[in-house]
Amino acid sequence: MEFNRQNAELALKEASKSNPGAWTDHSRYVAEACKHIALHCGHLSANQAYLYGLLHDIGRYAGVTSERHLIDGYRFCMERGWEKAAQICISHAFMIQDMNTSIGEFDVSEPDYLFIKEFVANAVYDDYDRLVQLCDSLAMPTGFCLLEKRFVDVTIRYGVHPATIGRWKKILEIKAMFEKKMGYSVYSLLPGIVENSFR
């Protein structure tokens, strides 16, 4: 199946019917954030970035799950021939490439657990993986937000884990990387955000 906006939008629409919830609005804002940032990075396609952001949580179509949505999303995309989108369905949750940094519950079979573990350890990340990881933390279901707001939102829902601070630091590093490439703050590209100022 061709990887294009029409098919990706249809996939999300159908997935939202299977499992209605705020995750679909979150996915749309992640997609928009990816597009806005990619537009200002000459080496990235804004269209591709949008599609990867839109589908990063597509595994939630299967119901209310924790880390199972990663493998469900991977399989959903692979069945359609969307290999990079499939990778991002898993990689978006592992900004640190270590299975032990997961903050969710591995509600999967042992073979699926071992598959995800090996996949995470051996995946080669590029700036699309990193962009979705960043934008996943820039988007609430209600709109764009400061990273810190999203950090608190996720921590309230998932609790504090040994890797929590390390994950935050990695996202901040990714933010700084994109800002260095662009020459200005990612927040300046996202409507509705008032950036903290310490001047």
Side-chain angles (χ1 to χ4, degrees):
M1 183 180 292
E2 186 177 354
F3 187 57
N4 58 32
R5 185 158 180 164
Q6 180 180 359
N7 286 333
E9 293 278 7
L10 180 60
L12 185 65
K13 182 178 179 180
E14 293 300 316
S16 70
K17 292 178 182 177
S18 297
N19 179 29
W23 71 271
T24 56
D25 290 328
H26 163 70
S27 296
R28 292 188 183 283
Y29 280 111
V30 171
E32 288 292 331
C34 287
K35 179 183 74 176
H36 286 309
I37 294 171
L39 278 169
H40 294 81
C41 294
H43 67 300
L44 296 178
S45 161
N47 181 62
Q48 293 290 102
Y50 177 88
L51 300 181
Y52 295 141
L54 195 70
L55 297 174
H56 79 285
D57 268 346
I58 195 69
R60 297 201 181 280
Y61 83 91
V64 179
T65 62
S66 185
E67 301 297 56
R68 200 187 90 188
H69 84 281
L70 307 178
I71 191 72
D72 285 340
Y74 174 85
R75 290 185 175 132
F76 181 97
C77 291
M78 287 299 288
E79 287 170 3
R80 289 156 178 78
W82 302 343
E83 188 171 345
K84 183 60 183 181
Q87 172 168 315
I88 288 174
C89 284
I90 294 178
S91 71
H92 80 269
F94 296 97
M95 59 288 300
I96 300 172
Q97 286 186 251
D98 181 342
M99 194 74 156
N100 295 321
T101 64
S102 167
I103 60 171
E105 175 190 350
F106 280 102
D107 47 350
V108 298
S109 67
E110 184 176 357
D112 283 349
Y113 177 86
L114 294 174
F115 175 86
I116 297 171
K117 183 176 182 179
E118 183 176 358
F119 188 93
V120 169
N122 295 308
V124 178
Y125 288 3
D126 62 19
D127 279 355
Y128 288 113
D129 295 272
R130 288 182 276 269
L131 181 61
V132 176
Q133 290 164 357
L134 171 62
C135 293
D136 195 21
S137 291
L138 289 170
M140 302 283 279
T142 52
F144 305 117
C145 64
L146 297 171
L147 289 178
E148 293 83 356
K149 182 174 181 178
R150 178 69 170 161
F151 289 166
V152 171
D153 166 67
V154 171
T155 303
I156 287 173
R157 288 186 288 116
Y158 288 88
V160 177
H161 292 257
T164 294
I165 301 301
R167 289 167 59 92
W168 291 352
K169 287 180 177 179
K170 189 62 179 180
I171 292 296
L172 291 168
E173 287 176 14
I174 295 170
K175 175 178 176 284
M177 180 201 76
F178 279 106
E179 289 178 337
K180 184 176 181 180
K181 290 177 183 292
M182 297 186 301
Y184 38 84
S185 170
V186 298
Y187 295 133
S188 66
L189 305 175
L190 306 177
I193 294 183
V194 178
E195 187 171 2
N196 295 326
S197 176
F198 301 100
R199 296 175 184 173

